[in-house]
Amino acid sequence: MIRRYLRLLGVQLRASSLLILQYRGDFLLEGLVSLFWTVTALAPLFVVYRGRESVAGWSFGEALLVVGWFTLLQGVLEGAITPSLNGVVDHIRKGTLDFVLLKPADAQFLVSTTRFLPWRATNVLSGVGLFVYAFHLLDRGPSLPGLFASLVLLGSSTLLLYSMWILTVSAAFFVVRVDNLTYFFQSIFDAARWPSTVFKGTLSFIFTFIIPLALMTTFPAEAMLGRLPLKSLVAAVGGSLAFAFISRRVWLRSIGHYTSASS
């Protein structure tokens, strides 16, 4: 079963890549645009740290690691998650989700792997470049356990982002117009470019437990710095698995409320 779905994922990836490479000029241009926006996204960080040694306990180099994780996850989000899941809303609105539900494969898997944007890989590479530059500024490198922990957190962060998007698009089964909700989520995600200690009071609680942005960027950065407690790592992995379980149950329940175009 797993091998079958991996083969299906490979087919979907190959189809998306071939479709994009039909227009190589656009492919290169989109990659350059992504790189440009990554560079401009660093501007607020330079402004905030101008004349300051640290902000909320984070030096410039340490905060750059958080931005690196934000950039990397933004590439994953906009290259592999949102292109497919944005289409679910249109399927529900037009009643064409029938064509997906009738196929002999899991509907959630199919709607999640319909389309990929390979040029967003530039964000992933930019994030890795920011890690290298940040550790150059810090005059040190990540520890081996810290690097392993950060890779584990990369998996849990990706699962968390995916689960939150499944929860968001599942709302389309009950309220057709959820475009603003997806824009709202993307705006909230922008806050993940800052260390979680920058936010205080209610915002700190929301970004840690309700919309766990801290788990996505601050925790992996702390892991690379070798100062993330083991219990926080376990909590992050457990939290992402809990989100995945809840989103799966919500998706299955939402499918039960779907009325096709023929009904």
Side-chain angles (χ1 to χ4, degrees):
M1 178 68 78
I2 294 176
R3 187 177 298 177
R4 178 189 170 205
Y5 277 96
L6 285 176
R7 277 206 306 271
L8 184 55
L9 177 61
V11 170
Q12 302 273 51
L13 272 170
R14 197 159 51 249
S16 292
S17 300
L18 289 175
L19 183 64
I20 295 298
L21 288 174
Q22 282 183 328
Y23 308 97
R24 295 183 183 179
D26 289 350
F27 178 82
L28 293 174
L29 183 62
E30 292 288 353
L32 289 173
V33 169
S34 295
L35 190 61
F36 170 77
W37 284 116
T38 299
V39 173
T40 56
L42 293 174
L45 197 69
F46 282 101
V47 172
V48 169
Y49 276 91
R50 189 175 183 180
R52 296 179 182 177
E53 289 292 326
S54 67
V55 173
W58 289 74
S59 67
F60 178 78
E62 292 169 346
L64 204 57
L65 285 176
V66 179
V67 178
W69 276 102
F70 170 79
T71 305
L72 191 154
L73 287 176
Q74 191 178 38
V76 173
L77 176 67
E78 297 180 0
I81 297 177
T82 56
S84 296
L85 293 183
N86 274 340
V88 177
V89 179
D90 283 335
H91 275 309
I92 297 170
R93 188 182 303 154
K94 297 174 183 174
T96 54
L97 194 63
D98 310 42
F99 301 113
V100 178
L101 297 176
L102 290 173
K103 291 179 180 176
D106 183 77
Q108 184 178 339
F109 179 85
L110 289 176
V111 299
S112 303
T113 57
T114 305
R115 187 172 178 236
F116 297 93
L117 299 180
W119 64 72
R120 285 296 180 185
T122 55
N123 284 62
V124 177
L125 295 176
S126 299
V128 175
L130 287 175
F131 295 154
V132 174
Y133 181 56
F135 278 112
H136 170 70
L137 292 178
L138 294 170
D139 197 23
R140 52 165 291 194
S143 65
L144 196 58
L147 205 54
F148 176 75
S150 63
L151 288 176
V152 172
L153 288 168
L154 172 61
S156 66
S157 300
T158 303
L159 182 61
L160 197 54
L161 268 177
Y162 171 72
S163 302
M164 292 177 71
W165 261 96
I166 286 293
L167 288 172
T168 302
V169 299
S170 292
F173 287 94
F174 305 93
V175 183
V176 176
R177 299 292 301 182
V178 295
D179 307 56
N180 293 334
L181 193 58
T182 57
Y183 291 139
F184 175 73
F185 176 79
Q186 288 173 331
S187 300
I188 290 290
F189 182 65
D190 274 346
R193 72 177 68 240
W194 300 101
S196 59
T197 50
V198 168
F199 304 101
K200 305 293 182 187
T202 305
L203 281 179
S204 175
F205 178 81
I206 291 174
F207 291 156
T208 301
F209 299 104
I210 308 299
I211 306 174
L213 301 180
L215 274 62
M216 299 178 195
T217 55
T218 302
F219 279 26
E222 287 187 318
M224 293 181 99
L225 292 168
R227 64 190 192 198
L228 183 72
L230 180 60
K231 63 180 182 181
S232 298
L233 175 64
V234 173
V237 174
S240 64
L241 291 175
F243 258 89
F245 176 77
I246 293 170
S247 66
R248 176 66 178 174
R249 301 306 304 171
V250 170
W251 168 263
L252 292 175
R253 182 175 288 272
S254 300
I255 287 288
H257 286 265
Y258 172 66
T259 52
S260 68
S262 58
S263 63

